[in-house]
Amino acid sequence: MSPLQQLKLMVLAAFVGNAVGRFFSQKPLAHTDDDTPLPLVIWHGLGDNYAAEGLREVGSLAEAVHPGTYVYFVRMADDASQDRSATFLGNVTEQIAKVCDDLASDPILSTAPAIDALGFSQGGQFLRGYVERCNDPPVRSLVTFGSQHNGIVAFRDCEDNDWLCKGAMALLRLNAWSGFVQGRLVPAQYYRNPAEYDQYLEHSNFLADINNERALKNAGYKKRLATLENLVLYMFADDTRVIPKETALFEDVNGTEATPLRARKMYSEDWIGLRQLDRKGGLKLRTTPGDHMQLSEETLTSTFKEFFGPLKSLSQQPKSGGELTGILSSSPPRATGPRPALQRNQSAASERAPLSAVPSVDLNENGDTLLMGRSSSSSQYQLSANRLISRVHVKARYIAAPQSVEPNKVEVVCNGWNGLRLHCQGQTWELSKGDTFTSETEGAEIMIDVQDARFAAGQPQAQTATIANHMINQLAFSRLSSTPLSAIMNNLPAGEKRDLTVDTLRQIIEATACIGVITRQGKDAAGKPLESEYYYVSEQDADEQRRLAVTDGLRKPSLRNCRKQHKQYYWKRPKTP
């Protein structure tokens, strides 16, 4: 062997020794005195979306309890309507993989020493799936409210005008264990009926895996979940939406018999690390009053104070590839020291107004500048009569992206001599006259303080896209082959059809590629003009999950060509002898 080859072997041996040594020498991180709160990741539940007002209020409350908290809302799409659709239609395994990538690439989350996580309803078990499958950045405390950790045995009832929900539930009731349903219908992927347990173990796409219920266990799931400092599970005492409600506490309910978590085999054999968590005091099982998601601000506030906030202690854990596999990574080993603490300006808690007292101002969708100040004649939005506020103190406008790959922007210009204070994503800026602030973060809340006035400025609500998506769902999942315009209008949620005219609705429909029209003329038997009817065109639907759910899942046939054109029939009096 040549000297050069010997040198290469020595270097390789040293590298292997260091890599293995690092793996087996995981030590707790040192305590830190940094008072910067850890970022908070929130995942919403079924039928909700990341931009919902209630969810934003929860984020604002978290920032009020721990000023400076960076709040990240999990989303499957930047469009709120599409994000809501993804709570019904989608592959949970793929969704969690997307969240793993999104969190790891976020510039703030990826550089934080750890994050806290809050899951509502199904978002709770999905965040647990994130912890078990990747956990990078690592979660310190995971809190879930009304989550289906041990699955559900029945599916939810839908609102009368929630056609997306109705379509999804219809698919689930056909055959919850088919590969099509398990790969595309979200609630089916945590359906767990004890009467069909063998089918569940064989076909479940998500829950059976992250609960480690199959014969072959994933040791990485147990290892990563056990690294949490706190796993806090809340059950709603009067929950009527989740069946059984005890699933929120990992209880196994079979008919009228309920087996508590600590009496279950998954706990005694510690399939996913719950017993290990419990022994170190990290597992908390709690009950809160009310029906599903009827949460009080007091409960949230006490939870945030107890489990979220600044980093106090954190046990270092291996990354997603931390288990010893016998194959060395091609990347150099990472340093084992703690990540640098976040440096961020904090807004004082004493400056915050109550959540319900902060008015919201939506900017003009056409990009026109909105003027705000003391004067009701010079400004379109009057802030206050305070003489320290200029007649036009703030100028704000929405700048739509010229291309789809670019972000939309919100621009705020300080026009007042006494300046303003602006809060956005946990940071605070002091703006003097002539200063400009620009935000490119979709859906970010911008809070502005001008003397004694406070208001929130946000991007215009994308009502058109939301209405179009609701109409498509209505036509796609309806049992009727075609629907008149008046029925479509009546089935829209009250919030979406506010100030919506029939002509505007017709324009939205005609601009939607996957909605066809049957033009009808003439009058009915009562002498009233016939309405045109509209139908779903699956071939033109850009949403693949919805299209497949309708065509392959529900097997709804396309409208026949003879029905796409209206033919007026006349009744003719029969001849009498």
Side-chain angles (χ1 to χ4, degrees):
M1 183 180 296
S2 67
L4 180 59
Q5 290 176 323
Q6 292 178 358
L7 179 61
K8 288 182 177 179
L9 285 176
M10 292 173 62
V11 172
L12 178 61
F15 175 76
V16 171
N18 287 336
V20 175
R22 281 189 176 92
F23 174 78
F24 285 107
S25 62
Q26 300 291 341
K27 297 179 180 179
L29 291 177
H31 288 248
T32 177
D33 294 329
D34 181 39
D35 60 353
T36 303
L38 292 181
L40 175 62
V41 173
I42 301 177
W43 199 330
H44 58 81
L46 183 68
D48 208 346
N49 68 81
Y50 80 97
E53 182 180 354
L55 207 65
R56 297 286 165 168
E57 289 184 354
V58 172
S60 298
L61 180 62
E63 205 275 337
V65 174
H66 297 290
T69 300
Y70 172 72
V71 181
Y72 179 91
F73 298 95
V74 172
R75 70 208 65 177
M76 293 299 112
D78 289 334
D79 179 75
S81 181
Q82 293 179 9
D83 184 54
R84 181 182 185 272
S85 296
T87 66
F88 290 99
L89 304 176
N91 188 305
V92 178
T93 295
E94 295 175 359
Q95 291 182 354
I96 291 179
K98 179 183 184 304
V99 173
C100 290
D101 293 339
D102 290 348
L103 268 57
S105 61
D106 185 272
I108 294 180
L109 300 177
S110 61
T111 56
I115 61 175
D116 289 323
L118 175 64
F120 294 116
S121 195
Q122 70 179 21
Q125 64 260 29
F126 296 167
L127 278 172
R128 178 166 63 87
Y130 163 83
V131 173
E132 294 182 18
R133 289 181 174 174
C134 55
N135 205 30
D136 183 14
V139 176
R140 174 185 62 173
S141 295
L142 170 59
V143 178
T144 69
F145 284 95
S147 298
Q148 300 83 33
H149 289 291
N150 202 54
I152 55 174
V153 299
F155 300 118
R156 59 175 283 183
D157 295 327
C158 301
E159 302 292 338
D160 291 338
N161 58 2
D162 195 343
W163 295 94
L164 176 63
C165 175
K166 288 183 177 181
M169 295 305 123
L171 271 175
L172 291 172
R173 293 183 178 96
L174 287 176
N175 183 4
W177 304 121
S178 70
F180 177 88
V181 171
Q182 282 293 319
R184 290 178 175 85
L185 274 295
V186 172
Q189 295 167 64
Y190 53 85
Y191 176 64
R192 183 184 183 276
N193 192 335
E196 304 171 4
Y197 190 66
D198 290 339
Q199 292 173 284
Y200 161 76
L201 289 180
E202 182 179 357
H203 300 290
S204 175
N205 180 57
F206 171 69
L207 190 68
D209 178 66
I210 66 160
N211 282 0
N212 254 347
E213 294 186 74
R214 296 188 173 106
L216 183 62
K217 311 296 184 189
N218 189 320
Y221 290 178
K222 172 182 176 180
K223 189 166 191 172
R224 282 187 279 270
L225 192 68
T227 59
L228 291 174
E229 284 196 3
N230 297 290
L231 176 60
V232 188
L233 311 179
Y234 277 92
M235 178 185 75
F236 292 100
D238 306 310
D239 200 330
T240 58
R241 301 297 297 272
V242 175
I243 303 174
K245 64 182 181 181
E246 294 82 4
T247 182
L249 303 180
F250 268 110
E251 293 189 18
D252 191 16
V253 179
N254 191 346
T256 58
E257 297 181 3
T259 305
L261 169 62
R262 293 182 175 92
R264 294 185 60 191
K265 189 176 181 180
M266 74 175 303
Y267 179 87
S268 61
E269 296 184 357
D270 208 13
W271 292 351
I272 58 174
L274 294 175
R275 188 179 67 174
Q276 187 175 341
L277 260 176
D278 200 14
R279 286 183 172 179
K280 70 177 185 179
L283 180 63
K284 278 87 173 176
L285 307 179
R286 299 183 175 183
T287 301
T288 186
D291 202 343
H292 192 64
M293 295 313 302
Q294 290 183 351
L295 269 170
S296 66
E297 187 170 317
E298 291 75 17
T299 299
L300 285 172
T301 300
S302 63
T303 301
F304 293 166
K305 288 181 178 179
E306 185 175 1
F307 300 109
F308 300 158
L311 179 65
K312 296 177 181 177
S313 64
L314 179 70
S315 298
Q316 189 180 15
Q317 57 179 316
K319 297 295 181 182
S320 56
E323 288 70 34
L324 191 60
T325 60
I327 303 176
L328 289 175
S329 169
S330 59
S331 302
R334 295 185 179 183
T336 57
R339 295 180 179 180
L342 294 175
Q343 299 296 325
R344 191 181 299 116
N345 293 331
Q346 300 181 12
S347 56
S350 60
E351 296 175 350
R352 295 193 60 88
L355 295 177
S356 59
V358 180
S360 179
V361 180
D362 289 333
L363 303 181
N364 298 318
E365 189 173 5
N366 59 9
D368 290 346
T369 300
L370 182 66
L371 306 180
M372 294 163 278
R374 185 183 80 245
S375 172
S376 59
S377 58
S378 302
S379 301
Q380 286 118 2
Y381 183 83
Q382 186 177 15
L383 297 177
S384 169
N386 191 327
R387 302 295 295 181
L388 296 176
I389 299 177
S390 301
R391 297 174 66 85
V392 177
H393 202 104
V394 183
K395 297 179 180 180
R397 64 176 179 139
Y398 168 73
I399 306 174
Q403 299 179 3
S404 59
V405 295
E406 298 180 9
N408 299 320
K409 301 178 182 179
V410 172
E411 181 184 86
V412 178
V413 179
C414 177
N415 193 60
W417 290 104
N418 292 314
L420 61 84
R421 177 171 293 177
L422 186 147
H423 312 270
C424 183
Q425 293 186 296
Q427 301 186 52
T428 301
W429 287 265
E430 300 282 351
L431 271 63
S432 302
K433 182 176 174 61
D435 290 345
T436 300
F437 170 86
T438 303
S439 171
E440 298 182 354
T441 304
E442 192 77 24
E445 182 184 68
I446 300 175
M447 198 83 72
I448 300 175
D449 292 330
V450 181
Q451 299 301 319
D452 57 351
R454 161 169 282 193
F455 65 96
Q459 296 184 3
Q461 301 296 319
Q463 288 293 332
T464 300
T466 302
I467 293 172
N469 190 64
H470 192 283
M471 288 189 303
I472 298 171
N473 289 332
Q474 185 181 151
L475 296 174
F477 296 112
S478 173
R479 294 182 179 180
L480 301 176
S481 57
S482 59
T483 306
L485 187 66
S486 59
I488 295 175
M489 173 70 90
N490 291 334
N491 288 328
L492 287 175
E496 293 181 9
K497 61 184 178 183
R498 186 182 299 116
D499 300 327
L500 180 67
T501 64
V502 173
D503 290 337
T504 302
L505 182 63
R506 185 181 292 109
Q507 292 174 4
I508 296 174
I509 291 179
E510 293 175 354
T512 305
C514 60
I515 296 181
V517 57
I518 304 173
T519 304
R520 304 174 73 201
Q521 297 177 346
K523 298 181 180 180
D524 60 13
K528 297 180 180 179
L530 293 173
E531 286 189 79
S532 295
E533 294 189 349
Y534 300 89
Y535 61 94
Y536 172 66
V537 184
S538 60
E539 297 83 0
Q540 301 294 327
D541 193 352
D543 189 331
E544 183 181 5
Q545 294 286 0
R546 177 170 53 205
R547 176 171 55 81
L548 293 175
V550 173
T551 57
D552 296 356
L554 293 175
R555 300 187 182 278
K556 182 177 179 179
S558 300
L559 191 68
R560 292 180 297 171
N561 288 330
C562 63
R563 293 286 311 280
K564 294 179 181 179
Q565 293 182 351
H566 173 68
K567 184 176 181 180
Q568 182 77 43
Y569 291 94
Y570 298 94
W571 179 78
K572 186 177 182 180
R573 183 190 298 274
K575 292 182 179 180
T576 56

